[in-house]
């Protein structure tokens, strides 16, 4: 089945630094989403980006479909960005999302 | 905007009892609803995918007998955890989407604790 690998597994930054998160997946995806999970568990969709580059606020996602990888860039990190960032791939034709294990981001003041 | 609500947010039940959780989509038609469980080890598992007018598809290790799901219309779904035990602990998330290839919108989850 579809496999999703995220790196790094954890990342510690000083406030103001940039973060680069990676997601690699094993087979063709019709949809790719980046999520933020708060310490309380709520899942928030950040970007939906099956191909190309998308921006929203301080977030930029670049997905290279042929190479089966996506990145999430967080610029000028803030302490409130701390949490778990999850990459999820939707399997072609099934609608099933497969999640990576996530990157735990800690931004220190 | 598209929103998904889940109720209850937290619940505690005794071992061997059952717990029903609900998922409400607002602002879009939830043609498909997926139920996930995130274990204490943080792994996400898909329990089942329900599409209106189609049979509910359960993943391996999950059954209708244990996790019956109802998806009666394009805005509501419910799932029950029957005979809950310690291994059923976790955060249960509902993800809804208008259609294949569309973005999935998630609720805040129902956190289940089993005593």
């Amino acid at each position: 089945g579809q496999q999703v690998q995220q790196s790094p597994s954890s990342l510690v930054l000083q406030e103001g630094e940039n973060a680069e998160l990676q997601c690699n997946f094993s087979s063709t995806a019709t949809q790719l989403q980046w999520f933020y999970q708060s310490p309380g568990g709520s899942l928030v969709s950040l970007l939906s980006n099956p191909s190309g580059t998308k921006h929203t606020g301080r977030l930029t996602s670049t997905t290279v479909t042929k190479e089966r990888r996506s990145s999430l860039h967080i610029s000028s990190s803030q302490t409130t960005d701390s949490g778990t960032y999850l990459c999820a791939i939707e399997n072609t034709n099934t609608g099933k999302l497969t999640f990576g294990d996530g990157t735990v981001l800690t931004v220190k003041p | 905007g598209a929103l998904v609500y889940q109720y209850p947010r937290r619940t505690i039940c005794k071992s061997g009892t059952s717990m029903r959780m609900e998922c409400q989509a607002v602002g879009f038609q939830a043609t498909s609803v997926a139920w996930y469980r995130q274990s204490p080890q943080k792994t996400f598992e898909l329990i089942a995918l329900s599409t209106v007018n189609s049979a509910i598809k359960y993943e391996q290790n999950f059954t209708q007998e244990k996790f019956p799901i109802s998806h009666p219309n394009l805005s509501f779904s419910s799932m029950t955890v029957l005979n809950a035990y310690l291994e059923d602990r976790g955060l249960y998330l509902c993800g809804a989407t208008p259609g294949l290839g569309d973005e999935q919108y998630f609720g805040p989850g129902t956190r289940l604790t089993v005593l």
Side-chain angles (χ1 to χ4, degrees):
Chain A
Q2 176 73 270
Q3 291 184 355
V4 181
Q5 293 179 326
Q6 290 187 245
S7 61
S9 56
S10 63
L11 184 61
V12 180
L13 299 174
Q14 288 298 130
E15 196 167 27
E17 292 182 326
N18 299 330
E20 187 83 13
L21 282 55
Q22 303 291 339
C23 175
N24 291 277
F25 44 99
S26 60
S27 55
T28 305
T30 53
Q31 181 59 274
L32 184 148
Q33 285 183 256
W34 283 96
F35 292 93
Y36 168 77
Q37 188 171 35
S38 67
S42 295
L43 208 61
V44 175
S45 180
L46 298 172
L47 283 164
S48 175
N49 185 28
S51 66
T53 299
K54 276 195 175 180
H55 304 274
T56 181
R58 294 183 290 108
L59 304 178
T60 301
S61 172
T62 299
T63 300
V64 184
T65 312
K66 283 196 304 185
E67 297 180 13
R68 297 177 183 166
R69 60 178 174 86
S70 181
S71 64
L72 180 68
H73 182 87
I74 306 172
S75 62
S76 304
S77 63
Q78 300 173 0
T79 55
T80 50
D81 293 333
S82 297
T84 302
Y85 290 79
L86 294 152
C87 170
I89 309 297
E90 180 177 315
N91 188 292
T92 305
N93 298 324
T94 67
K96 171 186 172 181
L97 274 186
T98 301
F99 285 84
D101 287 340
T103 293
V104 179
L105 176 65
T106 304
V107 181
K108 295 184 174 181
Chain B
L3 292 171
V4 176
Y5 295 99
Q6 286 189 251
Y7 177 83
R9 293 292 305 275
R10 294 177 181 272
T11 186
I12 301 172
C13 67
K14 287 186 177 180
S15 183
T17 64
S18 300
M19 176 60 216
R20 181 172 181 264
M21 52 194 74
E22 300 179 348
C23 175
Q24 182 88 36
V26 177
F28 69 104
Q29 293 186 327
T31 305
S32 293
V33 173
W35 286 92
Y36 297 84
R37 179 172 70 193
Q38 188 179 34
S39 67
Q41 292 74 34
K42 303 297 183 185
T43 305
F44 270 90
E45 298 176 281
L46 175 64
I47 298 170
L49 180 65
S50 171
T51 302
V52 171
N53 297 325
S54 294
I56 298 171
K57 295 179 183 176
Y58 284 83
E59 291 293 294
Q60 197 172 14
N61 301 326
F62 296 96
T63 65
Q64 183 180 7
E65 289 71 31
K66 172 71 174 177
F67 299 96
I69 289 170
S70 171
H71 187 185
N73 56 52
L74 292 171
S75 64
F76 181 82
S77 178
S78 66
M79 183 178 75
T80 302
V81 181
L82 293 174
N83 300 317
Y85 288 99
L86 279 177
E87 57 264 29
D88 295 321
R89 291 172 304 162
L91 181 68
Y92 288 81
L93 289 157
C94 160
T97 182
L100 280 177
D102 291 334
E103 186 173 342
Q104 279 200 22
Y105 303 100
F106 280 82
T110 293
R111 188 169 296 280
L112 175 63
T113 300
V114 182
L115 301 178

